[in-house]
Amino acid sequence: MNDEKQFSYPDKKIIEREITAIVKKGKIERESFPRLLLSMYRQIGVRFLIRDRKEISIAVTMAVILMFAVLTSGQERYESSSSFYGIIMLVSPILYGVLSLLPFLHSKINGTFEVEMTCKYNLYQLAAFRMLIFSVFCFLLNTVWVLAMAMKFSTVHFVQAFMISTTSLLIFSLLFLYVFTVLKKMITKVAAVMSWIGLNALFVFIDSVVYQQLLVSVPWYLYGIVICLSAYLFLKKIKEFIIQNQREGAISYVNS
Amino acid sequence: MLTVNSVSKDFGNFPVLQDIQLEFSNGVYGLLAPNGAGKTTLIKMLTTLLFPTKGEILYEGQTIFSMGERYRDLIGYLPQNFGYYKNYNPNQYLQYLAALKGISKQAANEKIPQLLKLVALEDAIKKKMGKFSGGMIQRVGIAQAMLNDPKILILDEPTAGLDPKERVRFRNLLSDLARDRIVILSTHIVSDVESIANEIIMIKDKRVLYKDSIQSICQQLDGKVYEIEMDFDQVKAFRKNFLSLSERQDNGRMNIRFIAEENIRPEWKRVKPTLEDVFLYQYQDKEVEQKV
């Protein structure tokens, strides 16, 4: 008892300051999404974020050639402008799909998945970061393309074409993310992505009147709503992809 | 402290591991079991690659899955099949992994040459990894696992493809590293862990059979391991009755090391059991088990 009495406690202010310091040290503050992206960019750098420059260059070149071919060899049909919109709907997300698939394919082919998934910034985060960059890049490239289409073909209306292109890109991007988080096997993932493109291609090549009518008859405000909603869901899903808690473990999540 | 708390893992309806209970503090742990016993599954759960069907894995009281990148920042991992990019040289590949591990470029530039020297690859620093031998690839794998100076180093069959000299060097390296970290080394090669592991973990029938020091594990066979010399023509009949652990020719006769639990004969020479004896005894075929 005597010992307790003799013990001199620090004053209240010091106790409070020490408690605050201890709590601050122990409390783990998660980085905000933009801050995480910035620190990832600073840490990993363009050099390794876009590690497969050769494959990316080939994919971009092929997409540009495809867009240029549509632009230069397309025949204007004055009775209907809708076939161009079908082509825009088809072509807009292809490059994004190819670029987004690349890190997963590389990892699968080279067997680097396990090592890359156990690093501080893992393959999901790297792929998601790339998806974000490529979605912006593809959006800009598509916009330039539809602008050129609108300038060349009088039957193509820029705003309508822009809306269709952006909707297509965003819906596809969203589908891509869901496919990658829900489906387990790489082959089913690739098949799901390819079937979306294949279906659109089929509608264009059989010159489906119903499909083309659908594309032109949807009001702009509805396209606007779809764009806003898919952009929101895309960013939400990307964020989840980057800051996900791996409830199922990495292997069952992506690469089984 | 890394704690595996009542962890089970099923693949569909097939249980691979059941009710695994383990604790790891600083030191070398040898995870020893035959192929297909569930070692790699356990390792994949410890590295967050697989999620347990039941139970939890905790590091300093927090589940490793909720820690996310904070946990991954603490681990170094060499998978059983270490993949690499053929067009990269070891320096480029380690620079890439250093970036993913959150190591600054400056720190990586200092650390990578040291590690390549440690694994004797300093002369191959600019050689494309596509031209590397299996042993050289494995050494890059060991180097990448140590890049972030991990608190938990997890190595799945790390000595595969290494020659005897490299194995010895690797063992010495692990002994040095284990002073201030957890090293978990999965293998089915007894000699890989015999000289360096503080504790051995054996898995049998989907559960932990032992987690103990080599000395304690070997004690269970005390008084049961013998050696005998016999003529070649007697060996076949002998094998039918006893579990032969090793056989070697000696001056035209056969020297057999075996296990016997009863009917001990005075001419048998009793010897001290080794970890390999326990391994062979525990993982013997069912048919042989009946003999013993």
Side-chain angles (χ1 to χ4, degrees), chain B:
Chain B
M1 174 87 80
L2 183 66
T3 311
V4 179
N5 197 3
S6 306
V7 162
S8 299
K9 180 69 191 174
D10 301 346
F11 288 120
N13 292 325
F14 183 72
V16 178
L17 292 170
Q18 285 181 332
D19 199 27
I20 303 292
Q21 194 78 39
L22 295 167
E23 273 188 358
F24 301 95
S25 48
N26 289 350
V28 180
Y29 296 84
L31 186 53
L32 192 63
N35 290 331
K39 297 188 301 285
T40 298
T41 303
L42 179 60
I43 292 277
K44 282 184 178 171
M45 287 193 284
L46 292 173
T47 51
T48 73
L49 286 168
L50 281 176
F51 197 75
T53 310
K54 278 185 203 157
E56 56 186 0
I57 302 170
L58 308 164
Y59 181 71
E60 304 294 2
Q62 282 190 70
T63 64
I64 59 171
F65 288 91
S66 68
M67 286 175 74
E69 66 194 42
R70 282 188 296 121
Y71 178 73
R72 294 197 301 272
D73 200 16
L74 296 171
I75 63 172
Y77 172 49
L78 173 67
Q80 193 172 15
N81 301 307
F82 173 64
Y84 58 96
Y85 294 111
K86 290 186 180 73
N87 58 334
Y88 271 11
N89 64 41
N91 182 52
Q92 285 169 320
Y93 192 41
L94 293 180
Q95 289 281 358
Y96 166 61
L97 291 175
L100 293 190
K101 283 170 188 261
I103 301 165
S104 73
K105 204 174 172 182
Q106 195 190 347
N109 284 339
E110 282 174 23
K111 185 91 181 172
I112 290 167
Q114 289 170 14
L115 285 172
L116 288 176
K117 196 176 175 189
L118 204 65
V119 294
L121 281 175
E122 69 268 41
D123 297 334
I125 197 161
K126 286 185 179 166
K127 201 174 162 186
K128 294 266 187 264
M129 287 175 71
K131 291 177 180 169
F132 275 20
S133 68
M136 288 165 90
I137 294 293
Q138 198 68 359
R139 282 184 274 156
V140 178
I142 292 164
Q144 67 76 28
M146 295 190 295
L147 255 177
N148 53 331
D149 201 13
K151 285 269 165 233
I152 305 166
L153 185 59
I154 300 171
L155 309 157
D156 197 358
E157 307 281 357
T159 55
L162 298 186
D163 63 36
K165 200 176 146 193
E166 286 164 354
R167 277 171 192 244
V168 172
R169 198 208 318 238
F170 174 66
R171 279 182 219 149
N172 295 342
L173 179 67
L174 280 192
S175 295
D176 285 345
L177 286 169
R179 260 180 276 171
D180 55 354
R181 74 195 77 211
I182 297 167
V183 178
I184 302 168
L185 200 159
S186 157
T187 185
H188 62 276
I189 303 164
V190 177
S191 59
D192 277 355
V193 288
E194 210 166 26
S195 56
I196 54 163
N198 302 81
E199 280 196 10
I200 298 291
I201 299 158
M202 282 193 188
I203 297 173
K204 191 181 181 185
D205 298 331
K206 304 169 186 71
R207 294 171 191 274
V208 174
L209 180 68
Y210 300 118
K211 182 184 179 280
D212 219 328
S213 65
I214 294 173
Q215 204 183 1
S216 303
I217 290 173
C218 290
Q219 264 175 12
Q220 63 144 329
L221 280 187
D222 262 352
K224 291 178 186 172
V225 184
Y226 296 88
E227 278 183 2
I228 186 174
E229 257 189 28
M230 63 178 67
D231 293 328
F232 287 105
D233 51 6
Q234 294 174 296
V235 174
K236 213 172 176 182
F238 186 84
R239 280 192 203 132
K240 282 184 184 171
N241 298 316
F242 297 98
L243 172 63
S244 167
L245 299 168
S246 68
E247 294 172 8
R248 68 183 158 84
Q249 289 184 42
D250 199 7
N251 290 329
R253 300 196 82 202
M254 272 300 246
N255 190 307
I256 300 182
R257 186 183 180 93
F258 65 102
I259 288 179
E261 296 188 68
E262 51 196 17
N263 303 324
I264 314 294
R265 290 176 210 163
E267 66 267 28
W268 295 349
K269 186 183 160 199
R270 198 156 88 179
V271 290
K272 207 177 164 195
T274 63
L275 189 60
E276 184 142 8
D277 297 336
V278 179
F279 184 86
L280 291 169
Y281 177 68
Q282 285 299 343
Y283 300 112
Q284 61 193 289
D285 297 333
K286 289 265 185 279
E287 195 189 324
V288 183
E289 209 167 331
Q290 283 165 358
K291 290 179 205 168
V292 181

